[in-house]
Amino acid sequence: MTQQRARLQHPAAWWLWGLGLATAASRTTNPVVLLLVIGVCVLVVSERHDPATPNPLPAFLVIGTVILAFRLVMTAVLGNGIVGDTVVVTLPRVPLPDWAANVRLGGAVTLEALLYAAYDALRLAAILACLGAANALASPRRLLRYLPATLYDVGTAVVVGLTFAPQLLTDARDVRAARTLRGRDGRGLRETARLAVPVLETAFERSLGLAASMESRGYGRAVRSSSTSRRTATGLALAGLVGVLAGLYGLLDASAGGLLGLPVLVLGAALATASLVVGASRDVRSGHRRDRWAWTETVTVASGLVPAAVLVVGSVRGWDGVVPSQQAELPALPLLAVVAVLVAAIPAWVTPPPREAVP
């Protein structure tokens, strides 16, 4: 076979793929489907992650695991309002005053309540895995180059936020390794607490350096605009926001229209896009070494939208197994949803490998 020129995928394609997969994960609580979503993220990242950049996906997986464990512990101690018949363990109950009658501390822990908490926390963990996979496949800094000028400052804040938690974990790992080389045992609660000061100091120094770098590049500068363009952009943005919120409400609540909320969502997104175009016309930015959009980018986006569309339709129509009941039995497996999630793994093979030439 002829060699293909090595290149990186367009960052927008990877992020649209990740957001589509995250949308699919947000519409189901089936543990098999959610674990499959996480597995697809791990597979695609292992095959197409740029080896020249750090991989933040393990940090997002650790955060998801911590959220799952914390949710189970809090459900066991405080409960979550789910009444079940299968008692797993009975904890000592602490009596509370009458004004806290709806809150319990200890008592019987049922399997149904734990399953509800596990399914819901696993859904959040799967969404975090999708965001971590998109972050690993395409750095948010690369995506920032393609945002409209209207969202550039907001996008910068989002990029800093997305890279904050993984960077903190990396700094903590480095500090722990340095203490271990100096003969300090890196285990234990006391040693973990001693990591806080150097890690926070490193984060503070990095934030000052980032602020100075952004100031030297002209962030936060004033943009000249007319009152007419400002009013037009503001009106379109408000109308688009109302349309997006109404459309999302219609999709999430079947009693409010179900799939009828989709046209309202599309109209709101179109109005919001128009406001971005009007706002971007006031602040023209030049591009440098733009990534090209090829057929692999289109396939990547489509493979992420397929599970999103299937799970949205399945949740609205109440397909069996998409939102399983919290019973002490294996939930039904929606085969169409499983196939749709497997479609999202196609980019692991059809996209060009980064920093490498295809043999």
Side-chain angles (χ1 to χ4, degrees):
M1 296 177 63
T2 58
Q3 288 188 346
Q4 181 180 354
R5 182 181 178 184
R7 70 179 181 90
L8 293 176
Q9 280 269 99
H10 197 289
W14 282 127
W15 277 91
L16 289 175
W17 171 85
L19 291 177
L21 203 55
T23 302
S26 67
R27 303 295 297 184
T28 180
T29 56
N30 191 297
V32 177
V33 177
L34 293 174
L35 290 175
L36 189 60
V37 168
I38 297 175
V40 168
C41 293
V42 173
L43 172 64
V44 176
V45 170
S46 63
E47 293 293 331
R48 289 300 180 261
H49 169 247
D50 185 3
T53 59
N55 183 8
L57 180 59
F60 280 87
L61 295 178
V62 170
I63 295 174
T65 304
V66 172
I67 291 175
L68 177 60
F70 180 77
R71 182 68 183 274
L72 290 176
V73 171
M74 295 303 296
T75 299
V77 175
L78 301 177
N80 54 8
I82 301 299
V83 179
D85 299 328
T86 308
V87 179
V88 177
V89 64
T90 302
L91 300 177
R93 184 156 187 172
V94 178
L96 298 176
D98 296 337
W99 55 266
N102 295 328
V103 180
R104 73 169 179 85
L105 187 58
V109 181
T110 62
L111 180 60
E112 290 78 8
L114 292 178
L115 287 177
Y116 177 84
Y119 291 171
D120 198 47
L122 186 59
R123 174 168 56 180
L124 180 56
I127 294 174
L128 288 176
C130 296
L131 296 179
N135 205 337
L137 294 167
S139 171
R141 294 185 180 89
R142 292 180 55 215
L143 182 65
L144 186 62
R145 298 164 52 191
Y146 299 94
L147 284 180
T150 312
L151 298 178
Y152 207 75
D153 293 334
V154 177
T156 303
V158 173
V159 168
V160 173
L162 287 174
T163 57
F164 179 74
Q167 190 62 48
L168 280 184
L169 292 177
T170 302
D171 293 341
R173 192 181 303 115
D174 294 340
V175 173
R176 175 173 293 177
R179 291 179 61 84
T180 303
L181 291 175
R182 292 180 175 88
R184 298 283 187 176
D185 186 9
R187 300 177 182 178
L189 183 60
R190 178 176 298 179
E191 290 295 327
T192 302
R194 290 175 179 174
L195 298 178
V197 174
V199 170
L200 292 178
E201 182 181 1
T202 304
F204 182 70
E205 293 176 353
R206 187 185 302 108
S207 64
L208 291 179
L210 178 62
S213 175
M214 293 174 63
E215 184 178 4
S216 65
R217 287 168 173 80
Y219 286 88
R221 69 186 188 277
V223 179
R224 296 181 179 179
S225 60
S226 62
S227 58
T228 302
S229 63
R230 287 197 302 270
R231 286 194 296 266
T232 302
T234 302
L236 290 174
L238 292 176
L241 179 61
V242 172
V244 169
L245 292 177
L248 289 176
Y249 180 77
L251 288 176
L252 294 175
D253 188 1
S255 63
L259 291 177
L260 294 179
L262 184 60
V264 180
L265 177 62
V266 173
L267 178 60
L271 293 175
T273 303
S275 70
L276 296 179
V277 173
V278 173
S281 63
R282 309 195 308 261
D283 188 10
V284 181
R285 296 179 183 269
S286 59
H288 179 62
R289 293 182 180 179
R290 297 279 184 172
D291 297 306
R292 63 187 182 92
W293 189 280
W295 66 271
T296 56
E297 278 78 4
T298 303
V299 172
T300 300
V301 175
S303 64
L305 294 180
V306 167
V310 171
L311 266 301
V312 166
V313 174
S315 62
V316 171
R317 295 189 175 182
W319 290 354
D320 188 23
V322 174
V323 182
S325 59
Q326 293 79 36
Q327 301 296 329
E329 59 184 9
L330 293 176
L333 188 62
L335 294 180
L336 186 57
V338 170
V339 173
V341 173
L342 291 177
V343 169
I346 292 178
W349 297 283
V350 302
T351 56
R355 310 296 186 188
E356 297 177 2
V358 179

